[in-house]
Amino acid sequence: ARQTSIARKSTVVVAPPARRGSSVLTNFNPAAGDFSVSLSQGVGAGVAVVVARVVLFSLAKAGIGKNVEKWSAKCAEYGIDCSDLYHTEDQPGDAWYLIGDWKPAKAGEPKHSDTTLVGILTTRAKTHELVMECESNGISTSDVVAATYRTDNFISNEKARFNELTKRLKEAGLR
């Protein structure tokens, strides 16, 4: 309903009276300064975010687990020793627990998270492939394979070996 004031010549919009039990849906318009959201809309959005995160994290965890298996098999196929990535004996601390579902590592469990483990295994397998490619093209790799670029971080060493081998292949015009 519109009401026009004769003295001011302005139009005022008056909302019809709300019916009992009905909810008013408005468009969310933050550009105009409207940040109002009803409680049910907020709860619905929160539930949707939590469900989406749980589903996506579960799918990602399953995908990462498959990649660990894939690259572990590839490393085994190439004869690459990956025993340094796993605990060789049970870790102490069975008698106490931290907050949450924490248990000390057992023999055979990885020392790193699955994401880090996939990165290490991938780098090792691809570095091996690069070494084989270099050797088949007559490029010396003995100095790179035995090199220690950083004594404090073996992951950086493996990446540095990979990068050096790639650089040598590019310099030879093979990449």
Side-chain angles (χ1 to χ4, degrees):
R2 287 181 179 244
Q3 295 179 348
T4 305
S5 169
I6 295 176
R8 294 169 137 191
K9 297 210 177 194
S10 62
T11 304
V12 177
V13 178
V14 178
R19 292 187 304 212
R20 212 171 223 195
S22 68
S23 63
V24 177
L25 294 177
T26 60
N27 289 332
F28 180 66
N29 189 0
D34 175 22
F35 293 99
S36 61
V37 177
S38 70
L39 179 63
S40 62
Q41 290 171 328
V43 169
V47 168
V49 167
V50 169
V51 167
R53 288 185 74 173
V54 167
V55 168
L56 292 175
F57 283 140
S58 298
L59 291 173
K61 182 78 172 158
I64 291 169
K66 286 182 183 178
N67 281 338
V68 169
E69 294 170 7
K70 171 186 164 187
W71 289 106
S72 292
K74 187 72 92 169
C75 286
E77 176 186 328
Y78 292 152
I80 300 170
D81 180 28
C82 295
S83 61
D84 62 317
L85 302 176
Y86 298 91
H87 291 284
T88 54
E89 58 188 32
D90 291 351
Q91 300 299 304
D94 265 339
W96 57 279
Y97 293 92
L98 296 175
I99 296 171
D101 187 25
W102 182 87
K103 292 179 266 189
K106 302 291 181 196
E109 291 182 3
K111 292 180 181 178
H112 306 280
S113 68
D114 284 351
T115 307
T116 303
L117 193 60
V118 166
I120 295 168
L121 293 170
T122 303
T123 303
R124 286 185 180 182
K126 289 187 175 188
T127 300
H128 177 78
E129 291 170 356
L130 287 175
V131 167
M132 300 310 290
E133 185 177 347
C134 285
E135 289 177 357
S136 68
N137 289 304
I139 300 171
S140 175
T141 60
S142 59
D143 59 327
V144 176
V145 173
T148 300
Y149 298 95
R150 286 187 58 186
T151 57
D152 62 330
N153 190 337
F154 79 95
I155 295 173
S156 294
N157 279 334
E158 294 184 8
K159 290 179 182 176
R161 286 186 194 106
F162 179 85
N163 291 336
E164 178 62 28
L165 293 168
T166 303
K167 183 177 111 183
R168 290 184 183 190
L169 285 170
K170 284 180 182 176
E171 288 173 352
L174 299 170
R175 289 238 165 172

